[in-house]
Each structure stands twice: as C-alpha cells, then as structure tokens.
Amino acid sequence: MEQAAKNKNLAVDEAAADARASLRQGLLAEIKSARRFANRGLWALSLFLMVSTLASRDFWFLPSPEKIVVRLGAPPTATIISLVLVLYTFSAIILSLSRMMAGIRHRSSFCHVGYLGVFYLFYYAARGLADNYWAVFGAGFTILCMESYRIWTFCNDLITKKSEQLAFLERTGRLPPEEPDLSE
Amino acid sequence: MFDRIAARALVPVGLVVTGFLVVCFVLLYAAIKEVVIRDSIGHANNLAGIVLKSTRYAMLQSDRAMNNAIIRNISEQKGVQHVRIFNKKGIIAFSSKAEEVNRQVDKKAEGCIVCHEKAEPVTVLGNMQKARTFKNSLGEEITAITAPIYNEPECANAACHVHPASQTVLGTLDIGLSREATLGSLASIRGQMLLFSILALALTSAGVIALLKMIVLAPMQKLQRYTERSLTDDTVAQPVGLPYELDKIAKSYYLMRQKLQQAEPEPAKAAERDTAP
C-alpha cells in the first residue's frame, strides 16, 4: 500500500518534472527565436546597402536604359517616380510607427528592400538615378532603420518577458499568472 | 540607454523626421534642378534662334564679311563660349575662332551624332535633344546647342545659291554657352534649402525634446523621486502639479502607503522607526 503511494507520488513528480522541462524548453526556444528575429532588420538593412552599392555604380551589369525602353516601353518620368517615392516613404513610416504602437510581430523588412530596389531600377530606366540616388537611399535607410528599431525593441521586450517567466518557472515550477490587460 | 523613456521616444522621432526631411530635400532639389536646366536650355535655344535670324539676311546675300561680323559680335557677349556655322558637309564655314574655319568635323562627334547616328540623318529635333553639356579645355562647364539651318523658298530660289528645294537642311549652327550662371543659381538654391532643412530639423528636434521633457519626463522624475523618498520617509508630501494620469498614480500610491501604514502592527512600525536612518 505504502509502496503504491510512493510509486504514485513518484509518477506525479516525474510528470511535473516533465511538464516543467517541456515548459522550460518552450520558453528557451521562444527566447532563441526572438534573439534570431531581432537581427532581421539588420539583415534587411545590409541587403539594402548591397543593392544601393550596385545602384551607385549605375547597375553596370544591366542593359542600357535605351535598350530597356526599346524592350519594355517608356518608363514613367522621374517626377512621377519621385512623387510615388514620397508617398511610399510616408506610408511605410506611418505603418512602421503603427506596428510599433500596437506591438505587432510583423516580418516586413525584406519586402521594403524589394520595393526600394524597384525604385532604383525605375530611376535607372528613366535616366534619373544620378539625381535621385540619395533620395532612395535616404528613404530606404530611414524605413529600414525604423523597422530594425521596431523589431529590436519588440524582441527585447519579448525576451525580457520570457526570461522573467523562465525565472518564475525555475523558482515555482509553474508559469506566472497571465498579466491582466491594462491597455484600456 | 534604450530602457529610458527619453531614448525610446526620441530615437524614432529623430530618425523619422531626419530621414523624411532628407528624402524631401533631395527630391525637391532634383525637381528644381531639372526645371532650372530645362529653362536654361530653353534660353539657349532662343539665343540660337536669334543668331539664325540675325545671320539669315547675310546668308541670303551670301555676304561672308557681314556673317563673320555678326558671329564675332555675338561671341563677345559674356557667357558665349563659341559660335560656329557648319555647312552640309560638316565643314566649319563661319566661327568665332578664326583658326577653326574650313575645318572638317566628324559626323560621329558629340553633338553631331544625335542626328547622324543612322544612315538617314534626323532633320527635326526637340529643344532638349539639341542641347549637350561638356567641359571645355579650361575645365568650364558648357551647354551647347546644335540647331539645324533649314532650307527656305528664298534660299532655294536665290540666284546666287545652289541649294535645291529638296535639300531640307543647309547646315548647322553650334553655339556654346557657359553654365557658370546656372550652376551658381543651383548652388545658391542648394545652400538655402540645406540651411532651411537644418533649421527645420533643429526646430522640430528642439520642440519635441522640450515638450517631452516638460509634459512627460520632468513629472515622471518628480513621481519617481516621490516614490523613492516615501520608502524611507513617511512624512514626504504627495507631489502637486502633475499631469492628470501621473497625478492619479501618485494619489493611488499615496493611498496605498496610507493603508499599508494603518495595517502594519505597532511593533513593526517601532522597529522600522529604529532602523530608519
């Protein structure tokens, strides 16, 4: 009888230890993933700097603007591209700020590199790259720095929160109670 | 550093304002530059038209002396670098520099190739196509206009001339103008825009920092000092003049402290008093 009770206690202890280990592992995995995700903005920024280097050398490996125009037709004028660039920069910054306020995990950095690369190409085809290079570079640097900052602060907060949960788990063997929603 | 409210609030604001201002500055300057250059090329085209009109009568009369005098007088005008008139074969018939006369120019040279790129030369050019820019031997920036001299009924029918009516272009006028004034204007615009942008940036940053400090940071520090002091001093007074939200926090904290003090047993209070510095 006593042995059965001991076995039962042992089984309960083992189950609790398993649950704790699995929770611990889950939290550690989340911290690791957040650490990896925190660098995403910087990777996007590096890729953008690489694209900008190619643009600063006037895309030497691409066919000349005349050949592009013959194949694809006339590009929009540099003025129209500039107007779209201003609109894009404004909306991207507003979106990034809104995501920062709402605390949303969003992986948008790399698509910005694509959009900015397309701006470089349009200016190249419209023969306006020399005059507008720094505008695209400034827009890209601002947007990607904002995104990096947003992702970095988001991940930092998440890592702090998960580390506190991990410490609580080590102390008590369970997760802390959910924080009440005080946003309203 | 990024744990502090000031850094968290000011870094994105500074980044956004600076970045957007830089983008707008570059785009605006590029647009202004395009307008100024288009305008200067328009003026250069008008000048080329004036030269053609001035020399028209002398050409109809086949008066070389008058043509030379007109070209020499025009080239003495400030900002005019060269004036040349080529015939159909690409030989310089008149020039502001006497040593150039009768020299043959390669049709593939810059300024000629625009029309002579294909077997059949182009006879009609737009204002911008007529213009080219280059640096002369003295390193000065030059805008040159290459304007075709078209055949007209008076030319084809003139007794002294041999141009058939079927010949569309009789020759070309090439006039080179210094870009010094245009580049000077652009540099002045750039300087003024830069100054304006720096002032706007400084004003925005200063405004945001001042408002943030006045409305948020200073009251927050006041509240922070109050909570820290109240840990050791029960008599510290609740701060006044805080913004609404912070005032509510200070009041809640004060009431909580009061309730804690009432709930604490007397010996604990005595011990706390004894250990207090």
Side-chain angles (χ1 to χ4, degrees), chain B residues 111-167:
Chain B
C112 307
I113 196 156
V114 183
C115 300
H116 293 282
E117 195 175 12
K118 292 173 184 168
E120 189 64 32
V122 178
T123 54
V124 180
L125 288 175
N127 268 4
M128 299 302 280
Q129 287 171 304
K130 284 181 195 168
R132 67 184 195 281
T133 54
F134 60 92
K135 274 188 181 177
N136 68 7
S137 53
L138 299 171
E140 293 168 323
E141 292 266 0
I142 307 289
T143 295
I145 300 291
T146 313
I149 302 168
Y150 293 111
N151 198 359
E152 290 176 27
E154 290 104 315
C155 308
N157 299 328
C160 59
H161 276 54
V162 289
H163 309 302
S166 57
Q167 190 179 337

Side-chain angles (χ1 to χ4, degrees), chain B residues 148-273:
Chain B
I149 302 168
Y150 293 111
N151 198 359
E152 290 176 27
E154 290 104 315
C155 308
N157 299 328
C160 59
H161 276 54
V162 289
H163 309 302
S166 57
Q167 190 179 337
T168 325
V169 176
L170 304 181
T172 315
L173 167 77
D174 180 33
I175 181 165
L177 303 169
S178 169
R179 293 182 77 200
E180 196 186 342
T182 309
L183 295 178
S185 305
L186 282 173
S188 159
I189 291 170
R190 193 171 53 227
Q192 285 171 29
M193 280 177 69
L194 202 63
L195 184 70
F196 167 75
S197 302
I198 290 169
L199 287 179
L201 189 64
L203 207 63
T204 312
S205 308
V208 169
I209 291 170
L211 284 175
L212 195 71
K213 191 161 173 61
M214 192 182 80
I215 297 169
V216 182
L217 298 178
M220 287 284 278
Q221 278 172 353
K222 217 170 169 183
L223 185 64
Q224 186 193 346
R225 276 199 296 272
Y226 163 64
T227 54
E228 281 169 1
R229 274 186 204 164
S230 65
L231 286 175
T232 52
D233 183 4
D234 290 342
T235 59
V236 66
Q238 188 194 325
V240 288
L242 292 176
Y244 178 74
E245 293 85 353
L246 296 182
D247 193 48
K248 293 270 277 185
I249 294 172
K251 268 185 188 148
S252 301
Y253 182 79
Y254 180 75
L255 289 173
M256 200 169 68
R257 283 289 299 171
Q258 293 271 310
K259 278 184 186 169
L260 272 174
Q261 277 171 1
Q262 283 165 11
E264 273 175 359
E266 282 303 315
K269 276 187 188 174
E272 198 178 87
R273 271 197 298 274

Side-chain angles (χ1 to χ4, degrees), chain A residues 82 86 93 123 131-132 135 138-139 142 145-146 149 152 157, chain B residues 2 7-8 11-12 15-16 19-20 23 26-27 30 33-34:
Chain A
S82 301
V86 170
I93 289 172
Y123 276 126
D131 282 340
N132 299 287
T142 308
C145 279
M146 272 302 294
Y149 182 75
W152 183 74
D157 289 349
Chain B
F2 283 100
R8 284 200 174 198
V11 166
L15 194 68
V16 164
F20 198 66
V23 172
V26 176
L27 291 179
K33 189 178 166 187
E34 199 189 323

